[in-house]
Amino acid sequence: MPSLRLDLSVRSNTTLQRLRPRLEERYAHRVDPGMWESFKRRLESQFEALFAPVFALYGDHYDFFFHLETIVQTITEAWIEREGGLCGLDALREEDRSWFQSHRMVGATCYVDLFAGGFKALGDHLPYLKELGITYLHLMPIFRSPEGEDDGGYAVSDYRNVDPKLGTVEELREVATLFRQHGISLALDFVLNHTADEHEWAKRALDGDPNFQAYYRMFPDRELPDAYERNLHDVFPDDHDGAFSYRPRIKQWVWTTFHTYQWDLNYANPALLRQMTEEMLFLANLGVEVIRMDAVAFLWKELGTDCQNLPHAHDVLRVFSAAARIAAPATTLKSEAIVHPDEVRKYIHMDECQLSYNPQLMALLWDALATRKTTGLRVAMERRFQIDPGCAWVNYVRCHDDIGWAFSDEEVEAAGFDPRSHRRFLTKFYTGQHEGSFSRGLVFQENPETGDARVSGMTASLAGLEHAIEIDDPAEIELAIRRIVLLHGVIMTIGGMPLIYLGDEIAMLNDYGFEDDREKYADSRWVHRPPFDWERSERRHDNSTPEGRVYQSLQRLIQLRTQSLAFDRAETEFVDVGNEHVFAFFRNRDEHSALIIANFSENPQSISAKRLRNLGLRKTVVDTFKGEVITAGHELDVEPYQLMVLATGSSHAAARAALD
């Protein structure tokens, strides 16, 4: 291996020396000499990180060096086109590549049309976001997509033009600048696994252009599709069987992993990778600071495999990451991979995706809420929460998509459950089909053969608020509010960046109106994609309403997170407090420390004082979330669904002084 590394380094260096004069001749005269020298230094420092994955992907191609040079030219062109304000941000981020680990980073996500109507109106709602404490805003897909069925915008018809109902690309650029000036980083999706079948590339492919047909994976008969499908898993079984769709116009079977109108791109073609690098850097130059890399597990296909999480999928991402570090260092990549937790972690690396969704945490939070037991959650976090120290999780309670039970069988078994039957139980529980369930979710994509299914629903409805209001039970309403706050409390404090789906902070409920829309009724995910209820938000300061209780609690959590150094780039240490209903962990940074305790039961729980002493806590502690001093002489009493943030070390002294 060392000799291979040395050989690769020599090849990389030799190639760069050959490329440098050609780049000088073509580009140096277009920019200030000082800037060009700066770019050359950056290119030199990152060139091997670019060369290695491109070589791994295409090193056996006869025209490898041609394609490598075109990728480098694409990166250079994008850097030249980058405007001054973004170049300044690049310089700052090069000095602090882990800026997203700051405790001041608090995320939110929304659909532009549902939250604000369009880009101009989005800027008008900046005060609302700042009041809540948001410093990172992820806008759901905004680019052109087909009329009607478009997979919620994830069928992209044009990577360069936005949905005209939202505004224009220039208005998007202005919004990105405005938000950046107010300390809010903009995140957008890059749908890189597939395009819509009405994308210009697909149209050219349907016209018979072989160059654009090579952008996709097409087959003249069923021989290879059948061979591939022996090892593939259906992703959307309600939509179509298998992974291929027939196009009679060209008499070809097209690879369509998701919906039949979404054509998978062919990254075995280096020309396609170069083109997609250009599309990604276009996003970066709009002022997008975080790019969500969609469906990364499916990027590479190999016969005889399930075509998920293959090594070359990581090489593709490493090319994108190196390109961003050279052309736009202020840009950070975030992976979206709803796969086995061990595979999710493989995408997280400073040279790949620096941020990653944490689907395992999301699923296990709901699991703990249903079972009232936290053993599986604790065991999973102990095994898999730690990642590359320069990277971070994006932790969420729910997202635009369904809730799938994306956790390992090992954690389910550690909690004493059979994995297959337990997943069925969770689906029934969160769709209100299990006796005693408080939840009001809907089934999504149920596989009748395996019984596998996912769940759709707003956080408040899944946590019991909808049911409690229906039966007009104040006690149940109180428990539901506590569940909502508890879930968000964990993602705010556990380490990484929390992400709130806008609407959850004001406890919005399921919207069943989608059932009357002929374009949406078959997709239950629209039950949790309602228009933002601005009338409801007006009651966010009224503590007598559920929306006021939830909003003010989340606002308090955000303030607590951003004001305490115990949460700033701190370590997370999970602990067993001797009570299976209670989830607990320390956050530690230097002399600053906090112990978070979360009761996932509707019953009061207690923790032995002796156990707390062994963990280093005093008899008297300060709960900085509730704002009170607690004395635990014999045991610590924890209320139903209570979240405690106990100050320890110097944090204890500071919190005590603040209360005094």
Side-chain angles (χ1 to χ4, degrees):
M1 184 64 73
S3 61
L4 179 61
R5 180 81 257 171
L6 179 61
D7 181 54
L8 190 65
S9 182
V10 170
R11 292 188 187 193
S12 170
N13 186 59
T14 301
T15 302
L16 179 59
Q17 300 313 314
R18 291 171 177 173
L19 279 177
R20 186 179 284 125
R22 296 157 68 91
L23 293 174
E24 290 271 2
E25 180 181 0
R26 185 166 183 171
Y27 298 110
H29 66 281
R30 294 174 55 182
V31 297
D32 176 82
M35 290 185 63
W36 180 248
E37 288 301 316
S38 176
F39 174 76
K40 284 198 302 181
R41 287 193 296 270
R42 189 188 298 160
L43 177 63
E44 185 169 338
S45 69
Q46 299 294 332
F47 187 76
E48 187 175 335
L50 175 69
F51 179 89
V54 176
F55 186 79
L57 291 166
Y58 314 117
D60 58 349
H61 287 226
Y62 76 92
D63 52 356
F64 163 73
F65 290 103
F66 165 76
H67 290 293
L68 175 66
E69 183 170 5
T70 62
I71 291 172
V72 174
Q73 289 173 350
T74 295
I75 293 169
T76 309
E77 290 278 0
W79 170 76
I80 289 173
E81 293 169 4
R82 200 153 168 82
E83 59 99 355
L86 293 176
C87 291
L89 186 61
D90 287 339
L92 292 174
R93 294 285 164 78
E94 282 188 292
E95 295 299 317
D96 182 14
R97 288 185 62 192
S98 300
W99 59 275
F100 44 78
Q101 292 182 331
S102 168
H103 62 319
R104 299 188 181 279
M105 296 306 301
V106 178
T109 185
C110 67
Y111 284 92
V112 176
D113 56 337
L114 298 176
F115 181 69
F119 297 131
K120 287 185 176 180
L122 183 62
D124 296 336
H125 293 305
L126 180 62
Y128 177 85
L129 298 171
K130 294 188 69 174
E131 176 192 293
L132 182 57
I134 300 304
T135 55
Y136 165 107
L137 182 64
H138 177 192
L139 304 180
M140 299 305 294
I142 58 171
F143 289 90
R144 282 185 185 271
S145 58
E147 290 292 330
E149 290 186 310
D150 67 351
D151 191 25
Y154 285 95
V156 177
S157 303
D158 191 331
Y159 289 109
R160 301 295 181 99
N161 286 299
V162 298
D163 183 339
K165 295 192 294 291
L166 304 179
T168 66
V169 168
E170 280 309 307
E171 288 172 348
L172 171 61
R173 193 190 305 272
E174 291 169 4
V175 164
T177 302
L178 173 66
F179 277 54
R180 185 168 66 254
Q181 291 169 345
H182 285 270
I184 298 178
S185 299
L186 193 65
L188 289 183
D189 293 272
F190 183 40
V191 184
L192 69 159
N193 180 70
H194 46 262
T195 72
D197 60 3
E198 66 172 39
H199 192 285
E200 181 62 25
W201 304 341
K203 291 179 180 178
R204 298 281 293 274
L206 285 171
D207 287 339
D209 189 323
N211 292 318
F212 287 95
Q213 288 185 347
Y215 273 23
Y216 302 95
R217 288 182 177 267
M218 299 182 172
F219 306 89
D221 54 46
R222 285 293 309 185
E223 181 180 355
L224 278 175
D226 287 342
Y228 276 109
E229 284 186 346
R230 293 188 188 105
N231 297 287
L232 301 182
H233 308 289
D234 290 348
V235 177
F236 286 154
D238 286 357
D239 185 71
H240 67 113
D241 294 327
F244 299 87
S245 304
Y246 187 63
R247 289 288 171 155
R249 179 174 163 186
I250 53 175
K251 296 181 173 58
Q252 297 274 341
W253 289 88
V254 182
W255 199 308
T256 54
T257 294
F258 297 97
H259 294 286
T260 57
Y261 50 81
Q262 292 167 304
W263 290 13
D264 284 40
L265 292 164
N266 177 21
Y267 283 95
N269 177 2
L272 182 277
L273 179 61
R274 187 217 63 80
Q275 182 64 57
M276 291 300 285
T277 301
E278 184 177 323
E279 305 301 335
M280 183 199 71
L281 294 176
F282 173 79
L283 281 181
N285 281 354
L286 288 176
V288 179
E289 295 182 44
V290 175
I291 297 178
R292 175 188 179 274
M293 310 298 274
D294 180 59
V296 295
F298 300 89
L299 293 178
W300 197 265
K301 328 291 188 189
E302 285 181 16
L303 193 62
T305 74
D306 65 359
C307 297
Q308 293 189 39
N309 307 304
L310 296 176
H312 280 330
H314 296 274
D315 288 322
V316 170
L317 290 173
R318 285 175 180 264
V319 173
F320 286 127
S321 184
R325 291 197 303 276
I326 296 168
T331 306
T332 297
L333 304 189
K334 177 172 66 173
S335 68
E336 185 266 348
I338 311 302
V339 291
H340 189 282
D342 288 339
E343 296 296 337
V344 172
R345 295 174 77 230
K346 292 178 182 178
Y347 295 99
I348 309 168
H349 192 277
M350 288 299 286
D351 291 338
E352 197 163 330
C353 291
Q354 301 81 38
L355 286 168
S356 172
Y357 285 106
N358 196 346
Q360 179 181 222
L361 175 63
M362 180 269 295
L364 286 170
L365 286 174
W366 290 107
D367 174 84
L369 210 59
T371 63
R372 285 74 164 178
K373 295 182 179 180
T374 66
T375 303
L377 173 60
R378 175 175 56 80
V379 171
M381 295 301 102
E382 287 174 343
R383 291 174 176 174
R384 298 188 174 93
F385 191 76
Q386 301 304 324
I387 52 177
D388 185 319
C391 299
W393 290 112
V394 175
N395 302 309
Y396 57 110
V397 172
R398 73 169 185 95
C399 64
H400 74 287
D401 235 333
D402 54 274
I403 296 175
W405 310 119
F407 40 68
S408 166
D409 289 352
E410 298 171 38
E411 279 72 61
V412 180
E413 291 166 348
F417 302 114
D418 171 70
R420 187 164 184 174
S421 61
H422 187 62
R423 286 183 171 89
R424 289 181 178 180
F425 154 73
L426 290 172
T427 299
K428 288 184 177 181
F429 186 92
Y430 283 109
T431 54
Q433 300 175 58
H434 190 274
E435 185 177 354
S437 169
F438 49 71
S439 192
R440 290 293 179 269
L442 299 180
V443 172
F444 178 70
Q445 291 292 338
E446 184 171 17
N447 188 323
E449 294 182 6
T450 64
D452 292 337
R454 285 106 82 184
V455 172
S456 301
M458 295 288 286
T459 295
S461 292
L462 293 174
L465 185 60
E466 183 177 328
H467 168 68
I469 292 173
E470 284 176 358
I471 63 175
D472 193 22
D473 186 330
E476 287 297 318
I477 290 174
E478 172 67 21
L479 290 176
I481 291 172
R482 288 184 174 214
R483 292 187 195 106
I484 298 167
V485 175
L486 179 75
L487 293 172
H488 284 92
V490 173
I491 68 167
M492 289 288 175
T493 57
I494 198 170
M497 187 194 303
L499 185 68
I500 302 169
Y501 194 109
L502 289 175
D504 284 350
E505 80 283 6
I506 54 171
M508 287 176 58
L509 303 175
N510 286 348
D511 179 10
Y512 300 101
F514 82 97
E515 295 173 337
D516 300 323
D517 188 326
R518 61 185 180 86
E519 294 176 352
K520 297 177 179 176
Y521 77 94
D523 187 343
S524 68
R525 292 174 300 179
W526 287 103
V527 78
H528 58 239
R529 299 170 181 171
F532 189 84
D533 192 338
W534 286 104
E535 182 178 344
R536 188 182 186 93
S537 76
E538 292 298 316
R539 299 190 292 274
R540 66 187 182 276
H541 300 300
D542 183 351
N543 206 39
S544 68
T545 65
E547 47 268 42
R549 292 274 308 281
V550 170
Y551 180 87
Q552 292 173 51
S553 294
L554 266 60
Q555 190 179 48
R556 169 65 180 148
L557 282 167
I558 292 170
Q559 291 170 349
L560 179 63
R561 169 188 168 85
T562 58
Q563 292 171 4
S564 172
L565 290 177
F567 300 109
D568 185 23
R569 307 178 194 234
E571 295 180 351
T572 304
E573 179 184 359
F574 300 96
V575 293
D576 183 354
V577 293
N579 185 321
E580 66 177 358
H581 305 292
V582 177
F583 181 52
F585 51 91
F586 278 104
R587 298 301 309 285
N588 304 301
R589 183 188 176 186
D590 300 327
E591 72 274 16
H592 303 282
S593 181
L595 174 63
I596 290 79
I597 291 175
N599 177 11
F600 276 79
S601 166
E602 65 267 55
N603 299 312
Q605 300 297 324
S606 63
I607 301 171
S608 160
K610 185 179 293 186
R611 175 83 66 154
L612 294 174
R613 302 296 172 272
N614 289 339
L615 293 174
L617 267 74
R618 303 167 180 170
K619 289 185 179 180
T620 301
V621 292
V622 178
D623 180 356
T624 57
F625 179 44
K626 201 171 183 179
E628 65 180 24
V629 178
I630 299 169
T631 300
H634 299 291
E635 60 185 18
L636 177 67
D637 296 319
V638 190
E639 297 173 7
Y641 298 120
Q642 183 178 7
L643 178 87
M644 288 181 165
V645 181
L646 305 180
T648 62
S650 65
S651 299
H652 171 85
R656 186 66 186 264
L659 289 178
D660 292 342

